[in-house]
Amino acid sequence: MDLYKNSGLTIGEQEAKGIVSWKSPSNIALIKYWGKHGKQLPLNPSISFTLSQAYTQTTIEYKPKRKSSSKIDIDFYFEGQKKPTFARRIVKYFEELKDIFPFLPQLSFEINSDNSFPHSSGIASSASSMSSLALCLCSIERDIFKKEMETEAFLQKASYVARLGSGSASRSIHPKVALWGNTNGMEESSDLFSIPMKSVLHDVFRKFHDDILIVSKKAKSISSSEGHAIMSGHRFKDGRILQANKRLHILIKALKNGKLEKFGNIVEEEALTLHSLMMSSNPSYLLMEPNTLQIIMEIQEFRKNSKIPVYFSLDAGPNVHVLYPDSVAVEVNDFINSRLLKYCKDREYIKDYMGSGPKELDF
Ligand code: DP6
């Protein structure tokens, strides 16, 4: 099903000049998306907490192209600097979106993008950057064609478009918790876009922290896209799909019923499973570093001794996400400062927490 195939909207007499801007956050997957097929479709459903402090702000100024051609015309600036390599990636992305937004080749774009977190912090920015870009495109369509859309439909389309840029970006569109991928027993779920899941949240999870400990700032040896590709021939692929589906249901139940310990167990198992899949793939590879393991072991020991509910998660990289409820924020802060910062590159970490989703900015 091509939900958003060719809107048929091209620019005729309309005023096609303007500026749009969105600030969109990163997210941390609790059940991981790992492996894809077809056109950016996930092998298994995933669920994430939407973050708040790690975000990308993208501003697009658009005007009619001087000379008509089918080529995409983009000038891209990242943190004020012209970046031709990023521009080429965005041109490719816009090319793929011509079916959804047939007016793209009629315009020229100046895109400015900034991250709230240091560029070289090793923090994956594709979720925040691609979701902010997708939201800007949906706003441009709305503004040029005076398209009236319910917020829900607008966000669904933005999630669909974001997914085509980066799978995890499809989840950054919604506040607090988002689910992406067909899920048994959840009619509204889809492989094509994410859905908001905020109503499943028990009070225990209402204000949840995610401090991101920067273990390394180096570029990863294997990108997420390469990692997904390796999953299609993985010897544990079928088992992994079954496992992710099963864990997802247990996790949703834990989120609903306020079962922190259950939540923490599943989240940690998922993080370690993600990295075990990398280690057991062909070719095999390792993205954790010695300090990643040091931090994990410190967290487990601290939790055992103090009974404080603090858990870890990992993305496809060495940095560690420290997850905990607001009720233990003081204790966990002390613990991070006294025991964990020594394992962080330049003692750096990002204090983040569950957020209320993307915001459109006025100009
Ligand atoms: C481990 O969304 O970055 O963070 O779709 O190729 O852009 P592409 O991959 P990406 O993969 C994210 C993988 C993950 C798990 C997750 O966020 O669910």
Side-chain angles (χ1 to χ4, degrees):
M1 179 178 63
D2 268 324
L3 195 62
Y4 294 109
K5 207 168 161 73
N6 214 332
S7 61
L9 293 176
T10 51
I11 300 164
E13 299 298 308
Q14 294 90 343
E15 170 73 5
K17 199 167 176 269
I19 184 160
V20 293
S21 187
W22 278 88
K23 180 172 148 179
S24 187
S26 182
N27 65 75
I28 176 70
L30 308 168
I31 301 294
K32 311 287 182 187
Y33 146 55
W34 200 235
K36 57 182 164 183
H37 65 102
K39 235 180 163 189
Q40 288 284 102
L41 302 169
L43 287 186
N44 63 268
S46 57
I47 189 165
S48 55
F49 280 164
T50 302
L51 298 178
S52 158
Q53 299 304 295
Y55 64 82
T56 301
Q57 185 177 325
T58 298
T59 303
I60 305 188
E61 210 174 332
Y62 59 95
K63 53 179 193 257
K65 227 198 242 160
R66 282 223 204 104
K67 272 212 280 188
S68 89
S69 76
S70 59
K71 273 180 61 185
I72 298 289
D73 179 12
I74 287 176
D75 266 339
F76 180 78
Y77 297 84
F78 181 71
E79 285 165 1
Q81 306 266 342
K82 208 165 179 165
K83 292 274 176 193
T85 345
F86 287 10
R88 279 195 286 280
R89 186 172 168 201
I90 297 173
V91 167
K92 193 166 163 267
Y93 176 52
F94 278 30
E95 288 285 354
E96 285 161 11
L97 295 178
K98 278 197 225 165
D99 256 356
I100 304 173
F101 302 119
F103 57 88
L104 289 179
Q106 297 183 286
L107 297 172
S108 66
F109 301 94
E110 184 184 306
I111 307 179
N112 278 278
S113 208
D114 294 277
N115 284 347
S116 63
F117 42 93
H119 173 47
S120 56
S121 61
I123 300 285
S125 61
S126 70
S128 56
S129 58
M130 290 320 237
S131 56
S132 62
L133 202 53
L135 285 155
C136 283
L137 290 177
C138 292
S139 286
I140 292 175
E141 181 185 58
R142 176 202 62 203
D143 292 353
I144 296 179
F145 301 101
K146 310 278 175 269
K147 227 174 156 215
E148 293 294 336
M149 251 175 147
E150 296 286 341
T151 307
E152 201 183 317
F154 179 90
L155 294 180
Q156 185 182 97
K157 181 163 186 171
S159 175
Y160 181 103
V161 173
R163 182 198 100 235
L164 295 170
S166 180
S168 54
S170 70
R171 295 185 312 242
S172 279
I173 299 293
H174 300 294
K176 309 226 174 206
V177 196
L179 169 77
W180 170 42
N182 288 331
T183 305
N184 258 345
M186 302 202 60
E187 288 293 294
E188 343 65 90
S189 65
S190 170
D191 279 354
L192 302 176
F193 48 81
S194 75
I195 57 169
M197 293 283 286
K198 156 167 121 192
S199 57
V200 305
L201 271 193
H202 186 277
D203 267 355
V204 170
F205 297 101
R206 290 244 172 239
K207 189 166 183 224
F208 222 75
H209 293 253
D210 175 12
D211 292 341
I212 311 167
L213 306 191
I214 316 289
V215 168
S216 167
K217 301 181 177 185
K218 279 193 264 166
K220 291 184 279 188
S221 54
I222 300 258
S223 71
S224 285
S225 288
E226 289 165 314
H228 288 295
I230 296 174
M231 266 314 281
S232 35
H234 202 292
R235 59 172 78 84
F236 299 144
K237 175 178 157 188
D238 294 342
R240 164 61 192 157
I241 296 172
L242 285 174
Q243 177 191 57
N245 278 282
K246 205 164 151 203
R247 283 184 179 161
L248 179 68
H249 282 101
I250 303 173
L251 186 90
I252 291 177
K253 218 161 143 196
L255 289 173
K256 264 189 196 148
N257 299 335
K259 301 280 184 226
L260 250 183
E261 202 178 325
K262 190 88 230 159
F263 160 90
N265 291 342
I266 296 271
V267 165
E268 292 193 346
E269 280 168 14
E270 268 296 287
L272 294 180
T273 301
L274 173 70
H275 286 259
S276 340
L277 286 166
M278 295 171 190
M279 289 184 238
S280 54
S281 66
N282 183 13
S284 160
Y285 62 105
L286 193 60
L287 295 184
M288 285 195 278
E289 296 204 359
N291 281 351
T292 313
L293 291 179
Q294 293 281 12
I295 294 172
I296 289 176
M297 289 163 84
E298 292 264 9
I299 291 176
Q300 288 175 332
E301 194 190 318
F302 174 73
R303 184 171 69 228
K304 193 163 155 225
N305 296 337
S306 66
K307 307 276 177 275
I308 289 174
V310 52
Y311 302 95
F312 68 84
S313 185
L314 303 166
D315 268 334
N319 300 327
V320 183
H321 290 247
V322 186
L323 293 158
Y324 56 95
D326 196 45
S327 56
V328 295
V330 174
E331 293 87 335
V332 176
N333 245 302
D334 287 349
F335 164 60
I336 290 177
N337 281 298
S338 62
R339 302 279 294 276
L340 302 185
L341 282 194
K342 59 174 180 278
Y343 302 115
C344 297
K345 183 85 188 134
D346 305 327
R347 297 178 69 84
E348 253 182 64
Y349 79 113
I350 299 173
K351 282 180 78 62
D352 214 335
Y353 43 87
M354 193 189 266
S356 52
K359 292 265 165 305
E360 183 160 20
L361 307 169
D362 282 338
F363 265 84

